[in-house]
Amino acid sequence: MLDNPPDSDAPQSEPKSRSRWIYYLVYVGIIILGLIAGMYLGKLRNNDHTPPAPNFSFTLYQGAERLGSEELELSDLKGKPLVLNFWAGLCPPCRAEMDDLQIFNDRYSEKVTTLGIDLGQYLGLGSNEDALTLLEDMNLTYPAGFTEDPTVIEKYQIFGIPTTMFINSDGTIFRTWAGLLDEQVLVEISSEMLGNQMEQSAN
């Protein structure tokens, strides 16, 4: 009578299970590192010099009455500091910071222009219709639009959205903030850009 053959799967199950766990831990580690990098990327990307902000054309969804036209180029906005926010209609972090952008715009629009540019169509994060729906659902009024120039992503080195550029009145980049921000960050960086005038006027 033959002995029952050994279960060939038994000795292999532990190594397979172990390799699966190692893969899982590495994957989770990569995600955690990405989140940590995202939290600090805005500070790490401070500009040691002031390069010119690359020019591009855009079409406004809203705010034409404030900026003077529905079809504009970024260079048309020189003469006043600019907060340029890149976003998308199906981007949850973008949605999370939009109320703060609205509050900032309502308080400081005389000193700083706020402009949101939708990049959803190039990042798989929504169409123009999705962007318009978001603006309407949140009752946002600050100038916002989209560009038909996909090279903006490369020109501004946008590795994720939201990304916000703080641009001096002469059209040079003061600072880049990658990731979610709030009103406090907006005020602090814009105050630095304006020489602390905004913080003094807010107190």
Side-chain angles (χ1 to χ4, degrees):
M1 184 174 182
L2 293 174
D3 293 329
N4 290 331
D7 187 353
S8 59
D9 291 332
Q12 295 179 13
S13 60
E14 187 176 345
K16 282 184 179 179
S17 176
R18 186 178 301 165
S19 63
R20 213 176 285 125
W21 271 104
I22 292 172
Y23 175 81
Y24 175 76
L25 289 173
V26 169
Y27 181 74
V28 171
I30 290 172
I31 292 176
I32 292 172
L33 286 173
L35 290 172
I36 293 172
M39 290 170 61
Y40 291 99
L41 191 54
K43 296 178 182 178
L44 293 175
R45 292 183 65 190
N46 291 353
N47 298 298
D48 295 328
H49 59 293
T50 53
N55 193 34
F56 64 92
S57 59
F58 59 91
T59 302
L60 289 173
Y61 294 131
Q62 59 187 36
E65 69 286 347
R66 182 173 298 179
L67 299 187
S69 177
E70 186 176 320
E71 304 281 343
L72 290 163
E73 294 189 354
L74 195 73
S75 58
D76 295 329
L77 304 182
K78 282 185 180 179
K80 188 175 180 180
L82 171 67
V83 172
L84 174 61
N85 176 255
F86 292 106
W87 62 286
L90 299 181
C91 163
C94 301
R95 184 186 188 102
E97 70 179 8
M98 281 178 157
D99 278 334
D100 289 273
L101 284 163
Q102 182 66 54
I103 293 169
F104 175 82
N105 176 77
D106 291 344
R107 294 183 67 183
Y108 301 110
S109 60
E110 294 300 316
K111 296 181 177 180
V112 181
T113 299
T114 303
L115 172 64
I117 294 295
D118 168 28
L119 297 178
Q121 59 180 319
Y122 304 119
L123 302 172
L125 288 170
S127 63
N128 291 359
E129 289 74 21
D130 293 316
L132 279 167
T133 298
L134 178 57
L135 293 172
E136 292 171 2
D137 286 350
M138 297 190 66
N139 296 315
L140 302 172
T141 61
Y142 61 82
F146 67 96
T147 179
E148 295 184 346
D149 181 1
T151 66
V152 166
I153 296 172
E154 180 182 354
K155 289 175 180 175
Y156 280 88
Q157 299 181 0
I158 299 171
F159 302 115
I161 55 170
T163 291
T164 304
M165 317 296 298
F166 293 82
I167 301 175
N168 295 307
S169 57
D170 63 359
T172 56
I173 297 174
F174 176 75
R175 187 170 300 178
T176 301
W177 185 276
L180 187 67
L181 46 60
D182 56 21
E183 185 192 1
Q184 181 179 351
V185 172
L186 287 162
V187 171
E188 286 178 356
I189 298 179
S190 296
S191 294
E192 290 180 40
M193 189 166 58
L194 289 169
N196 297 319
Q197 296 176 29
M198 289 173 53
E199 280 189 343
Q200 292 172 6
S201 65
N203 295 331

